[in-house]
Amino acid sequence: MKLKLALCLLIAQWSMFNGQWSMASAQTPVYLDPSKDIEARIDDALSRMTLSEKIAVIHAQSKFSSAGVKRLGMPDFWTDDGPHGVRPDVLWDEWEQAGQSNDSCVAFPALTCLAASWNPEAAQAYGHALGEEALYRGKSMILGPGINIYRTPLGGRNFEYMGEDPYLTSRMVVPYVQGLQSVGVASCVKHYCLNNDEEYRHNVNVIVSDRALHEIYLPGFEAAVKEGKAWGVMGAYNIYKDEHNCHNQYTLNKILKQDWGFDGVVVSDWGGAHDLDQAVKNGLDMEFGTWTNGLSEGASNAYDMYYLSKQYQKAIVEGKYTTKELDEKVRRVLRTFFRTTMNKQKPYGFLCSEEHYQTARLVAQQGIVLLQNEGNVLPIQPAGKKILVVGENAIKMMTVGGGSSSLKAQHEISPLQGLQNCQIVKSSNCQIDYARGYVGDVGGSYNGVTTGQNLKDDRSPEELIAEAVEKAKTADYVIIFGGLNKSNYQDCEGHDRKTMDLPYNQDKLITALAAVNKNTIYVNISGNAVSMPWRKQVPAIVQGWFLGSEAGTALASVLLGDTNPSGKLPFTWYESLDQCGAHSFGEAAFPGIWREGKKVIDEEYKEGIFVGYRWTDKQKLKPAFAFGHGLSYTTFKVSNLKAQNPVTTDGNMTFTIDVTNTGNIEGSDVVQLYITDVKCSVERPMKELKAFQKVTLKPGETQTVTLTTDRRALSFWDEATDDWKAEPGEFVAWAGNSSDRLTCKVKFTLK
Ligand code: BGC
């Protein structure tokens, strides 16, 4: 009898850990039964957890993990950065890498490049591939994507984000989140919200109108939550309405959870919690940290010192709080467990698969932007030619550095290698020479991951320029790879850039090379716009972003014409900072002014809703390159814009537009539709992007594209009613292939 019972228990246990309850379904606890409703499973699990177990799941237990509930068979929860690849493992309690040999990854292009592809399908593939890498590495949440709005080109983390436009960001973030979560890995959309610059990011208190908040800074997050159904959101470091965004009553409880119905977890940015009472009450669900070092803070677990740890538990025991807020947090954590760690239907993960490299390559190829191409210098005609490659960024590995998005890439093809490996080059009897041109950042390590490159070069700037100029004189083409890098005060977390200028004497170098070689091509590697005082002297300019593992391959394919460029700028490329709204109101608007006591710095977004092209339109400024700009090796005509319903009562509109490839080779273009509210009781932007589509066309081919917009596309945020409002009247829709090349328009009316 005893033996029989033991056997039964054994079977039950075996079944439990294999997730197969068919044999012993009578004993299946509800929380473990996948056929049961997820909310019922959460109720059941919650009812079984002790206070200590509940406290344990709402805060970190290591740099990137929090506890599961072992007694109930729930594994620990592992997160990892994000957003361009799966970050290498660090030590349990320190930022140094763990030194594993199986945690190198595919580095995908930075999100600025993804946004520049204007291709939601590419974003879906990106999220999916990243999710598979995360699964393989045992991560249940990726700390990304980052979608803060590009407010100024000085923003240190702009490269991790999707540009200046709330609509473009919304359309690109949704498929990224869906792709990632389709394999059972949670996305943690960050940094919610108003974290638009880096300097003193824990101290900055953003002052912004409700209109700008809703029209510019929130739509990406709203789309990620409502349409993408993101399972996680990361609170930002900075302050809004005098509360840190990791525990902010207004942005988390009211907007995110109440208004948008977010049912996932709010995760603090690392070390972003500052107050027990606010952490308990203001919407934070899981606390993670940066500064707590369990090794030096004592023998006992330093994570016990977190706000949502022992002190919260003690306060509950002492009756200061009931378990109401705690249970709400735990419910959200459990929901996340059932979606990720406890999801037995998850597919297998893959690390560094050929398919992932292909995705990285395709996104890179689609995101590279041909900014300028005077005299059709590009694509390069290599047969029998001498190409001189110049610049540190032609050889520097860029996947290491930049802060938390730093990666340990399994491989990274530099631009120079990409050109050398390129089949077209190899089969063309073409010679490639290299000159350093400038020395920037010769380091190449982050948290113990090193590139292994030795970039030291002690020559003076004059010597470096002289060498490059000498070689350029006899070259058929000169390709300069310059721009920024991932070191401090460049495209890097923690600080903003100090100027919009190119660092390391590059302006001098570029001017000198353009003076001796008429086929000079400048490829800018960065996530931010840079000033280009020499722009008129350099015939071809390409924006090359941070492209990850396949950087060189993708760049070479565009430069040599194997890929016809189709990227479009996701931000306005100002001539200088004077053209940027954020820099037009003195230091109060950027970088802000310290309050008495030096704890808080008030930064008032005085330009309001007029960010990016909304500002240059209003001020009638001509930027160096407009939002949405990007050339091709073929030409396109966008024409015949028609509103299918010139009068709308519900605000829904359908437009058709013809796009024709008027050149000689196949190519892709992005049809962009902008809307103007002709007369309105509040000031509105001259035009706003409201729909777009990327199309691929053969020479001579025409495609009629159908674009739809909804009532929101006609609306502004009405501060009087705290809601969206579309005022009846006349509107104009414009279509074209850049915000400054809108070749057709149509009027319509909202009744
Ligand atoms: C960054 C986050 C990142 C976290 C974990 C923070 O410093 O702001 O974006 O996900 O660290 O590395």
Side-chain angles (χ1 to χ4, degrees):
M1 186 64 188
K2 258 188 185 167
L3 192 72
K4 235 178 165 179
L5 192 72
L7 208 66
C8 276
L9 278 176
L10 208 67
I11 290 171
Q13 220 168 0
W14 176 85
S15 307
M16 177 168 117
F17 289 107
N18 284 281
Q20 290 164 14
W21 284 95
S22 48
M23 286 179 69
S25 61
Q27 292 103 327
T28 306
V30 171
Y31 80 97
L32 279 177
D33 186 346
S35 69
K36 292 280 187 322
D37 175 65
I38 191 168
E39 298 309 312
R41 296 176 72 192
I42 293 168
D43 283 344
D44 183 45
L46 192 68
S47 73
R48 294 166 189 267
M49 288 169 73
T50 64
L51 178 62
S52 303
E53 283 169 342
K54 288 179 182 176
I55 291 288
V57 299
I58 60 165
H59 70 274
Q61 61 169 2
S62 76
K63 281 278 168 264
F64 284 100
S65 76
S66 55
V69 193
K70 291 188 183 59
R71 188 177 58 84
L72 300 178
M74 299 187 187
D76 290 350
F77 183 69
W78 280 89
T79 69
D80 207 357
D81 287 300
H84 308 139
V86 188
R87 182 178 176 159
D89 287 333
V90 299
L91 293 170
W92 185 262
D93 224 358
E94 285 177 75
W95 288 104
E96 276 307 289
Q97 69 150 341
Q100 293 175 9
S101 54
N102 60 352
D103 60 351
S104 48
C105 66
V106 173
F108 297 91
L111 295 193
T112 24
C113 172
L114 178 63
S117 77
W118 290 58
N119 183 350
E121 280 171 27
Q124 211 277 342
Y126 188 122
H128 187 265
L130 178 61
E132 287 190 336
E133 300 244 324
L135 272 185
Y136 185 94
R137 295 266 313 279
K139 314 297 179 192
S140 294
M141 172 179 272
I142 283 290
L143 305 171
I147 56 165
N148 295 88
I149 290 291
Y150 185 118
R151 179 176 173 246
T152 148
L154 301 191
R157 288 184 90 171
N158 282 345
F159 72 101
E160 289 185 62
Y161 304 148
M162 294 186 175
E164 75 184 24
D165 187 73
Y167 181 78
L168 176 64
T169 300
S170 304
R171 298 305 19 108
M172 299 302 287
V173 69
V174 169
Y176 178 117
V177 168
Q178 289 171 336
L180 183 64
Q181 295 189 168
S182 69
V183 297
V185 174
S187 81
C188 188
V189 187
K190 66 191 188 185
H191 307 88
Y192 181 77
C193 56
L194 295 167
N195 185 185
N196 308 95
D197 43 66
E198 284 295 287
E199 212 69 54
Y200 299 110
R201 55 188 177 168
H202 294 270
N203 306 79
V204 167
N205 177 52
V206 172
I207 301 165
V208 64
S209 70
D210 274 2
R211 245 194 103 183
L213 178 70
H214 286 273
E215 290 184 28
I216 305 292
Y217 297 100
L218 293 185
F221 291 102
E222 183 180 4
V225 167
K226 286 192 185 166
E227 292 176 61
K229 307 272 179 234
W231 295 336
V233 164
M234 183 187 287
Y237 279 139
N238 56 297
I239 307 167
Y240 173 60
K241 289 190 192 283
D242 284 324
E243 284 176 353
H244 279 92
N245 278 324
C246 288
H247 34 62
N248 189 303
Q249 163 62 22
Y250 186 67
T251 57
L252 296 175
N253 280 343
K254 159 100 177 50
I255 298 178
L256 179 74
K257 292 184 173 176
Q258 184 186 314
D259 297 351
W260 299 347
F262 174 67
D263 70 357
V265 272
V266 171
V267 174
S268 73
D269 197 347
W270 267 229
H274 297 270
D275 179 272
L276 173 62
D277 201 47
Q278 290 183 21
V280 171
K281 293 178 180 160
N282 290 358
L284 177 63
D285 300 309
M286 295 178 102
E287 184 187 358
F288 281 82
T290 295
W291 303 114
T292 311
N293 181 335
L295 294 177
S296 61
E297 293 227 6
S300 67
N301 189 352
Y303 297 92
D304 288 350
M305 289 184 263
Y306 277 34
Y307 294 101
L308 295 187
S309 183
K310 292 281 181 231
Q311 49 183 306
Y312 184 24
Q313 183 163 355
K314 185 161 169 275
I316 290 175
V317 171
E318 287 169 356
K320 187 161 179 242
Y321 301 108
T322 66
T323 53
K324 177 173 154 267
E325 293 94 353
L326 175 66
D327 284 350
E328 173 58 18
K329 294 177 202 297
V330 176
R331 267 177 199 287
R332 289 171 180 271
V333 173
L334 288 170
R335 199 172 290 124
T336 312
F337 286 175
F338 289 127
R339 289 168 165 165
T340 59
T341 51
M342 297 294 286
N343 170 5
K344 300 265 166 57
Q345 310 299 323
K346 280 197 304 272
Y348 293 107
F350 297 95
L351 193 61
C352 298
S353 76
E354 191 36 52
E355 209 186 336
H356 297 173
Y357 279 112
Q358 201 183 333
T359 302
R361 197 159 54 239
L362 285 174
V363 172
Q365 286 167 342
Q366 292 224 2
I368 293 169
V369 184
L370 179 59
L371 292 173
Q372 176 167 306
N373 194 16
E374 297 299 326
N376 292 334
V377 167
L378 288 172
I380 288 169
Q381 308 299 326
K385 299 284 168 54
K386 271 165 74 177
I387 300 176
L388 174 66
V389 174
V390 182
E392 184 171 286
N393 283 356
I395 54 171
K396 186 173 172 62
M397 281 179 68
M398 290 291 188
T399 51
V400 174
S404 56
S405 62
S406 181
L407 296 171
K408 183 162 122 191
Q410 189 198 42
H411 79 238
E412 177 179 345
I413 315 264
S414 71
L416 180 61
Q417 286 165 344
L419 286 165
Q420 287 163 338
N421 296 346
C422 176
Q423 266 316 319
I424 307 179
V425 167
K426 282 186 180 163
S427 58
S428 313
N429 183 27
C430 161
Q431 289 172 42
I432 295 188
D433 195 7
Y434 174 72
R436 178 70 175 262
Y438 71 92
V439 174
D441 172 22
V442 297
S445 76
Y446 186 82
N447 284 164
V449 177
T450 53
T451 61
Q453 288 187 299
N454 181 1
L455 296 178
K456 201 164 140 31
D457 191 326
D458 292 329
R459 287 176 290 174
S460 70
E462 292 72 27
E463 286 171 300
L464 291 163
I465 293 178
E467 181 204 38
V469 166
E470 234 7 76
K471 289 185 172 189
K473 286 179 184 163
T474 56
D476 295 295
Y477 292 96
V478 176
I479 317 177
I480 310 159
F481 290 93
L484 307 178
N485 53 36
K486 302 279 192 72
S487 56
N488 270 336
Y489 298 98
Q490 303 268 318
D491 280 322
C492 184
E493 181 174 340
H495 296 287
D496 295 314
R497 296 164 70 200
K498 290 180 173 157
T499 101
M500 205 183 145
D501 297 341
L502 277 173
Y504 319 127
N505 280 301
Q506 291 181 74
D507 285 341
K508 268 196 192 147
L509 170 73
I510 299 164
T511 313
L513 291 171
V516 297
N517 192 305
K518 64 178 182 7
N519 289 334
T520 296
I521 299 151
Y522 174 69
V523 183
N524 189 65
I525 306 296
S526 76
N528 259 316
V530 299
S531 52
M532 297 177 167
W534 35 260
R535 186 162 58 85
K536 301 254 158 63
Q537 290 131 57
V538 176
I541 304 177
V542 172
Q543 175 55 21
W545 311 116
F546 295 110
L547 297 175
S549 287
E550 293 290 285
T553 317
L555 283 165
S557 78
V558 166
L559 294 170
L560 285 136
D562 200 29
T563 295
N564 193 350
S566 63
K568 302 277 181 178
L569 284 179
F571 52 74
T572 305
W573 196 296
Y574 307 110
E575 203 74 73
S576 68
L577 280 186
D578 305 342
Q579 293 189 329
C580 172
H583 294 273
S584 304
F585 298 90
E587 57 174 333
F590 183 90
I593 296 174
W594 285 102
R595 276 188 210 167
E596 285 271 318
K598 294 264 168 191
K599 289 226 169 85
V600 175
I601 183 167
D602 285 313
E603 189 172 334
E604 188 172 354
Y605 290 10
K606 294 191 180 211
E607 72 283 10
I609 57 166
F610 295 98
V611 175
Y613 64 90
R614 290 163 170 82
W615 176 258
T616 48
D617 277 355
K618 177 174 149 75
Q619 301 300 110
K620 302 201 172 18
L621 299 168
K622 195 172 160 15
F625 302 107
F627 172 79
H629 167 81
L631 304 172
S632 162
Y633 296 147
T634 184
T635 47
F636 295 94
K637 191 172 111 194
V638 177
S639 62
N640 207 16
L641 167 65
K642 284 189 192 140
Q644 299 303 296
N645 48 332
V647 177
T648 169
T649 45
D650 59 5
N652 294 333
M653 291 294 302
T654 301
F655 302 95
T656 55
I657 308 143
D658 291 344
V659 201
T660 308
N661 181 343
T662 49
N664 300 324
I665 56 164
E666 183 176 305
S668 304
D669 202 9
V670 180
V671 195
Q672 304 167 32
L673 185 110
Y674 295 77
I675 291 183
T676 305
D677 189 352
V678 177
K679 197 162 152 257
C680 186
S681 59
V682 297
E683 188 185 10
R684 300 203 62 182
M686 207 152 106
K687 60 175 189 286
E688 294 181 282
L689 180 74
K690 296 298 173 187
F692 64 86
Q693 192 178 316
K694 195 165 197 169
V695 284
T696 302
L697 298 171
K698 298 218 163 13
E701 188 185 345
T702 297
Q703 195 178 310
T704 302
V705 173
T706 303
L707 297 177
T708 56
T709 58
D710 59 8
R711 193 175 185 90
R712 176 69 77 85
L714 312 180
S715 306
F716 62 92
W717 181 262
D718 182 16
E719 295 187 338
T721 58
D722 227 9
D723 204 354
W724 294 97
K725 182 172 183 183
E727 282 182 358
E730 223 173 68
F731 290 81
V732 178
W734 311 80
N737 55 11
S738 167
S739 68
D740 66 346
R741 212 173 312 110
L742 299 172
T743 43
C744 41
K745 65 173 182 176
V746 66
K747 284 186 186 161
F748 63 95
T749 307
L750 172 69
K751 277 259 157 107

